Amino acid sequence: MMKVIVRQSGIAARKWMDSTVKKQMLALSPLRQIDEANVQIAREPHASPPFRVRVHLVTPGPDISAEARDHTFAAALGKVIKRVTEEIRNRAAKRQARRRSGAQRLLPQHQAANHGSNVSFA
């Protein structure tokens, strides 16, 4: 089960933000095994845009990190979720491509071994 840690800074603690983040993180779990999700939500009033969301996902293999900024919390969260989803899909595609290329390298050797034998059955 995924452990979700949400930290907020520059914002009064809001439970609806925590629950929104947790729902979004759980929605990612069918795409990849996620052991832990660390999410930082910050409102920096002197920055533009003021809302920043950082996500660090602890997964088997390389971890996944992303950050996004926007004028609202929801928009920043949406951007960071999109970036994390793209990264998960890109890594899955690379993994599948490596598997396919490895299978194709083995296939010609296997075919050559079968075609090179002169066995006849009478």
Side-chain angles (χ1 to χ4, degrees):
M1 179 154 173
M2 180 190 325
K3 179 179 179 182
V4 180
I5 301 167
V6 181
R7 293 188 180 102
Q8 298 178 13
S9 65
I11 305 171
R14 296 188 173 121
K15 289 186 180 187
W16 67 270
M17 285 182 165
D18 287 356
S19 64
T20 302
V21 167
K22 288 177 183 179
K23 286 178 190 174
Q24 292 291 325
M25 293 299 115
L26 292 173
L28 294 173
S29 61
L31 300 175
R32 182 169 175 93
Q33 178 185 335
I34 302 170
D35 299 325
E36 185 175 306
N38 293 299
V39 182
Q40 295 177 340
I41 304 166
R43 184 173 184 283
E44 300 165 350
H46 301 293
S48 181
F51 285 93
R52 178 177 44 85
V53 178
R54 287 185 182 167
V55 174
H56 180 92
L57 303 178
V58 178
T59 66
D63 291 353
I64 297 172
S65 297
E67 179 176 332
R69 296 185 81 95
D70 211 307
H71 293 282
T72 66
F73 161 70
L77 181 62
K79 284 181 179 180
V80 81
I81 294 298
K82 182 179 177 182
R83 289 176 184 162
V84 167
T85 303
E86 288 172 356
E87 182 65 25
I88 290 171
R89 290 192 173 136
N90 288 342
R91 289 185 185 186
K94 284 182 186 179
R95 200 167 36 251
Q96 287 179 348
R98 280 194 304 265
R99 286 182 185 156
R100 276 190 234 123
S101 68
Q104 288 174 353
R105 277 187 252 139
L106 294 176
L107 185 61
Q109 293 172 356
H110 177 69
Q111 288 176 343
N114 288 340
H115 291 301
S117 62
N118 293 326
V119 178
S120 62
F121 296 97

